[in-house]
């Protein structure tokens, strides 16, 4: 593979990890609203997840770093 292919795969991996993290946060927000509406107990803030709580996010982030490293190494 050439350098541009590795760069493209790196950016796609970063985009995928961002989408996974965003969907996880969105799911937590929807569950928070659903629980507050159904129980009529309003809590101050939703339970947030840590940045490295999802293994798929970590996997795609590390994979993107590996692709970026290989793109510089191929040049």
């Amino acid at each position: 593979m050439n350098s541009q292919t590795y760069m493209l795969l790196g950016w796609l991996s970063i985009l995928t990890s961002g989408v996974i993290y965003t969907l996880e946060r969105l799911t937590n927000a929807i569950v928070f609203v659903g629980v507050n509406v159904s129980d009529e107990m309003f809590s101050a803030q939703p339970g947030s997840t840590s940045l490295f709580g999802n293994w798929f996010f970590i996997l795609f982030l590390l994979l993107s770093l590996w692709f970026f490293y290989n793109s510089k190494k191929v040049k």
Side-chain angles (χ1 to χ4, degrees):
M1 283 194 270
N2 60 9
S3 175
Q4 290 179 343
T5 306
Y6 280 121
M7 242 350 165
L8 177 66
L9 290 173
W11 282 112
L12 286 176
S13 296
I14 281 184
L15 181 68
T16 303
S17 68
V19 167
I20 288 172
Y21 183 72
T22 303
L23 288 176
E24 184 179 12
R25 296 286 300 220
L26 185 63
T27 304
N28 285 340
I30 290 171
V31 167
F32 171 74
V33 169
V35 166
N36 279 337
V37 168
S38 66
D39 289 344
E40 296 180 5
M41 295 175 52
F42 295 100
S43 55
Q45 61 186 8
S48 63
T49 57
S50 67
L51 188 61
F52 297 106
N54 189 341
W55 287 101
F56 288 108
F57 171 75
I58 296 170
L59 175 73
F60 281 109
L61 191 63
L62 292 176
L63 190 64
S64 68
L65 292 175
W66 183 77
F67 282 135
F68 286 139
Y69 172 75
N70 280 341
S71 75
K72 296 297 180 188
K73 195 167 107 175
V74 167
K75 280 188 175 180

